[in-house]
Amino acid sequence: MKALKLFAVLLFSVLALNTSAQQKKYVMVIHGGAGTILKKNMTPEKEAAYVAALTQALQAGYAQIKAGKSSLDAVEATIHVLENDPHFNAGKGAVFTHDGKNELDAAIMDGKTLMAGAVAGVTTVKNPISAARAVMEKSEHVMMVGAGADQFAKEAGLEIVDPKYFWTKERWDGLQQAIKEDSTKAVLDHGSKKSELLGTKNHDYKFGTVGCVALDKAGNLAAGTSTGGMTNKKYGRVGDAPIIGAGTYCNNETAAVSCTGWGEFYIRNVVAKTISDLMEYKGLSVSEASKIALDKVGKMGGDGGLIALDKKGNIAMPFNTEGMYRGAITADGKIEVSIYK
């Protein structure tokens, strides 16, 4: 009888723990890219640096939410931290194109209004996520590209830098290695799968696209993504990150989503919007919808991950690679950061 009572107490404790985990309300989730991230290849110093950067980014965004600012403010503040940290393939740490340039992409979306802004191929904007927000709030457009986007950002009063600002030795060395190994195929910054098609070879020289999804005190969601794209990319290639519905999407009625991975597959599967649609039209949870959408990418031959957050504070962080730099913070300020599978 005592054994039966003990079992009942233990069972209740496990159920209580599970219920507690399910009821935990998150207000922000971030990612710093997915790829072949193995503990055996990581030095303790580098691992600590990634954890510190992800933690700092979460704290920056949470400070905005705690102060009653909008989820858009939280997303922008969070991504600024990651864009300014050379560990990630965004802003200061962006990878190089075949021509030795840094071409940056970013997008942001407001879940309340479905307003969105994006930039692609910018080369002089210190924080591309702010350029994306300026397109959303200060123009009648959704996306601007290249020199025109740089000019618009300058006129919008954003911080403009010399392109040399984005140069880092690690990324430059990565480009030289990519050119040396294969000068006819582009090299993607995620995973290790290969494609027969010219310009779509996928080798993990550098992962690190960054993204953030947030829920503010007013119950509004926002999503943002920023990236340097593909090492050794040619032909003016643009990935999924700045494409609304592919790498970034947000709707208060469903979820805020930011993706990271082999962009061509995310574009072809319209991953971020698919998650929203599965939630809206099939009534699936954010976790179920995210898994289905990412599985489609995997079945087609792509890899990567994503983060998603719904209006109730439920999150999803699936990935089909060896690791994904990721973190989340709850409504009461508790931070969780992970790297490996």
Side-chain angles (χ1 to χ4, degrees):
M1 194 66 165
K2 280 184 179 178
L4 192 61
K5 279 183 179 177
L6 182 61
F7 175 74
V9 169
L10 284 170
L11 181 63
F12 177 77
S13 298
V14 170
L15 288 172
L17 275 171
N18 286 339
T19 304
S20 169
Q22 287 167 357
Q23 288 174 349
K24 194 183 289 187
K25 182 182 178 182
Y26 292 90
V27 292
M28 199 162 63
V29 191
I30 61 173
H31 70 73
T36 309
I37 308 168
L38 300 170
K39 196 169 180 67
K40 67 180 182 181
N41 298 335
M42 185 84 72
T43 64
E45 294 78 16
K46 198 162 190 178
E47 184 175 310
Y50 275 112
V51 171
L54 293 167
T55 301
Q56 185 189 349
L58 284 167
Q59 288 169 335
Y62 183 71
Q64 298 287 319
I65 289 170
K66 202 173 178 187
K69 299 286 185 69
S70 72
S71 51
L72 286 167
D73 292 332
V75 165
E76 186 177 17
T78 299
I79 292 180
H80 273 191
V81 174
L82 300 173
E83 286 177 335
N84 294 343
D85 190 310
H87 285 94
F88 303 98
N89 175 21
K92 177 68 175 172
V95 298
F96 285 89
T97 67
H98 180 72
D99 296 328
K101 296 177 182 175
N102 305 105
E103 294 180 357
L104 316 171
D105 308 332
I108 196 166
M109 187 164 183
D110 181 354
K112 181 182 179 182
T113 63
L114 301 189
M115 292 284 285
V119 292
V122 296
T123 59
T124 64
V125 186
K126 183 183 179 185
N127 294 107
I129 193 67
S130 293
R133 186 171 182 181
V135 170
M136 177 177 73
E137 295 179 340
K138 298 180 179 180
S139 85
E140 64 272 38
H141 306 304
V142 171
M143 177 181 270
M144 294 187 190
V145 303
D150 277 310
Q151 181 64 28
F152 173 80
K154 185 177 182 180
E155 290 174 6
L158 300 185
E159 186 171 355
I160 301 301
V161 294
D162 187 292
K164 290 175 185 171
Y165 164 81
F166 300 107
W167 193 97
T168 59
K169 187 176 188 304
E170 186 178 351
R171 300 293 191 266
W172 183 254
D173 291 346
L175 172 64
Q176 304 317 307
Q177 182 64 26
I179 291 172
K180 182 181 173 185
E181 284 199 6
D182 194 337
S183 62
T184 61
K185 291 193 177 105
V187 179
L188 186 62
D189 69 343
H190 305 276
S192 56
K193 297 177 183 176
K194 296 180 181 179
S195 166
E196 299 295 319
L197 297 173
L198 181 68
T200 56
K201 181 183 174 189
N202 182 8
H203 188 84
D204 197 350
Y205 280 101
K206 194 63 212 166
F207 29 80
T209 293
V210 306
C212 174
V213 291
L215 173 66
D216 61 28
K217 288 183 176 180
N220 294 318
L221 291 165
T225 314
S226 182
T227 186
M230 178 190 278
T231 300
N232 197 29
K233 65 184 178 184
K234 310 179 188 76
Y235 328 117
R237 181 261 187 187
V238 175
D240 65 305
I243 297 177
I244 302 304
T248 308
Y249 193 74
C250 187
N251 185 334
N252 274 6
E253 297 307 310
T254 53
V257 183
S258 173
C259 303
T260 173
W262 196 344
E264 280 69 14
F265 291 90
Y266 283 75
I267 295 170
R268 289 156 66 189
N269 283 290
V270 202
V271 172
K273 181 64 161 61
T274 293
I275 292 168
S276 177
D277 287 346
L278 286 169
M279 293 176 70
E280 183 175 357
Y281 303 124
K282 295 195 79 174
L284 299 186
S285 69
V286 66
S287 179
E288 292 167 329
S290 297
K291 183 182 183 303
I292 289 171
L294 188 61
D295 283 349
K296 285 180 72 179
V297 169
K299 284 173 186 171
M300 199 179 274
D303 55 12
L306 63 92
I307 55 172
L309 172 68
D310 72 14
K311 61 185 175 183
K312 293 179 181 174
N314 300 307
I315 65 171
M317 296 188 285
F319 55 96
N320 62 9
T321 53
E322 292 298 329
M324 180 169 78
Y325 298 109
R326 60 201 187 277
I329 190 163
T330 60
D332 56 2
K334 290 199 173 85
I335 288 176
E336 301 165 11
V337 172
S338 302
I339 297 175
Y340 313 106
K341 191 174 275 185

